[in-house]
Amino acid sequence: MRAALIALLLMFGSQAGAKNVLYCSTEANLATGIAKDNGQWRSGGFEEKRFSLKETGNFSSVEIKEYGIFTCNRPYMFAEPGGFLCHNKIGSTFMYIKETQKFIFFACSLASYVNDEYSDSCSIYAGSCDSF
């Protein structure tokens, strides 16, 4: 009995912290944003992006290599049970719905347009993710 209980706890514990890798890519013409060019802010198209992300604990967090770790939650407004909203410490946001496998990724920080001392670009990518 005791061995069965320990095995059960180990099984659930290992799944709770399990990592899943998703490979995401921007759909054609769904990459845009703002960037500072010769001292002027301009909007325009950005190159499509491909990236992988590691999700942990059924989207309690995700990690995107260039952007770090995002803490995720299920927003109240999502009627979809598989919708997740993830934020990192610099201000970027990743939204994802498991059923459709679609995402929107807003990559921006306080070192951008809102702060005159900096010139980081802000970009928005939309596309889909696949697990392998």
Side-chain angles (χ1 to χ4, degrees):
M1 177 74 169
R2 185 174 179 179
L5 181 60
I6 291 172
L8 186 63
L9 289 173
L10 287 173
M11 182 178 73
F12 283 117
S14 65
Q15 287 181 351
K19 291 184 179 182
N20 183 30
V21 177
L22 299 175
Y23 297 94
C24 305
S25 59
T26 307
E27 300 293 332
N29 301 314
L30 292 182
T32 191
I34 60 171
K36 200 169 198 178
D37 181 30
N38 293 325
Q40 296 291 321
W41 284 95
R42 302 195 193 293
S43 64
F46 280 55
E47 290 185 24
E48 284 88 16
K49 189 172 196 68
R50 295 178 63 118
F51 59 94
S52 61
L53 72 86
K54 293 179 194 172
E55 69 92 359
T56 304
N58 193 27
F59 282 91
S60 62
S61 68
V62 299
E63 180 178 0
I64 301 173
K65 188 175 184 178
E66 295 176 38
Y67 300 92
I69 296 174
F70 293 67
T71 302
C72 304
N73 61 39
R74 296 174 136 201
Y76 176 73
M77 63 184 229
F78 269 117
E80 296 285 335
F84 297 93
L85 182 61
C86 309
H87 301 284
N88 71 2
K89 291 183 180 181
I90 64 168
S92 296
T93 301
F94 180 81
M95 295 180 279
Y96 183 70
I97 295 181
K98 286 172 72 171
E99 285 77 17
T100 63
Q101 296 180 306
K102 291 184 177 180
F103 74 87
I104 297 176
F105 181 30
F106 176 64
C108 196
S109 74
L110 288 174
S112 64
Y113 179 78
V114 296
N115 190 332
D116 291 334
E117 295 179 33
Y118 300 102
S119 61
D120 283 1
S121 61
C122 289
S123 52
I124 302 171
Y125 303 97
S128 59
C129 300
D130 292 309
S131 57
F132 287 94

